[in-house]
Amino acid sequence: MRVSCRFTQWLVIVVSFLSMSACGRQNPVVTPPTISVQITRDSCPSIEVQEGMQIAWTNMDTVDRVLFIQRMNDQGVLVDAGGTELLRPGDTFSTLFEQAGQYAYYCSEDRTSFGTIIVLPGSYPYP
């Protein structure tokens, strides 16, 4: 019985050591901070984030929605646009904002529901 107990202790130590060693060699997955936003027919809230943050929109409506995001430069010229054509009820769409500026986003196909996204520079003192 004594040999069996020592063998079990030794086995636990070896397995623990190997599992810790294996974990130390893996590259950690780094994900940017994410802001979660719920959209409905009546709600496309305005958002303020810092550069490098991600926004995830979830369709909390009972019908399909679209999400269209656009950024204009200081002269009012469209410089960037994207989004999704279909966001079913309960679906989530996310995107990373790497450039400071002001964006408009629409969460209805006819563009009557909209909000603003303000992306602050990474050096901006964010609360």
Side-chain angles (χ1 to χ4, degrees):
M1 192 65 139
R2 190 165 176 80
V3 172
S4 176
C5 185
R6 284 189 182 177
F7 177 75
T8 304
Q9 289 174 342
W10 178 82
L11 186 60
V12 168
I13 291 170
V14 169
V15 169
S16 297
F17 176 77
L18 290 175
S19 67
M20 286 188 295
S21 297
C23 291
R25 281 184 253 155
Q26 295 176 350
N27 292 332
V29 176
V30 178
T31 57
T34 303
I35 302 289
S36 295
V37 178
Q38 297 179 349
I39 57 174
T40 65
R41 179 182 49 184
D42 302 322
S43 177
C44 265
S46 292
I47 309 159
E48 188 175 282
V49 296
Q50 244 180 324
E51 281 178 321
M53 292 187 81
Q54 184 169 272
I55 300 175
W57 287 271
T58 301
N59 180 2
M60 300 303 287
D61 209 340
T62 57
V63 297
D64 294 345
R65 312 295 298 160
V66 298
L67 192 68
F68 183 71
I69 305 163
Q70 64 183 26
R71 183 172 63 89
M72 309 286 229
N73 66 12
D74 293 337
Q75 290 77 35
V77 176
L78 181 66
V79 293
D80 196 14
T84 179
E85 293 180 14
L86 180 64
L87 200 58
R88 291 191 170 101
D91 283 356
T92 298
F93 171 79
S94 64
T95 189
L96 182 67
F97 287 86
E98 297 181 296
Q99 181 154 359
Q102 185 168 334
Y103 298 72
Y105 81 97
Y106 304 90
C107 53
S108 63
E109 196 167 355
D110 62 3
R111 297 189 182 188
T112 56
S113 295
F114 60 91
T116 302
I117 304 163
I118 297 178
V119 180
L120 302 170
S123 61
Y124 188 81
Y126 203 77

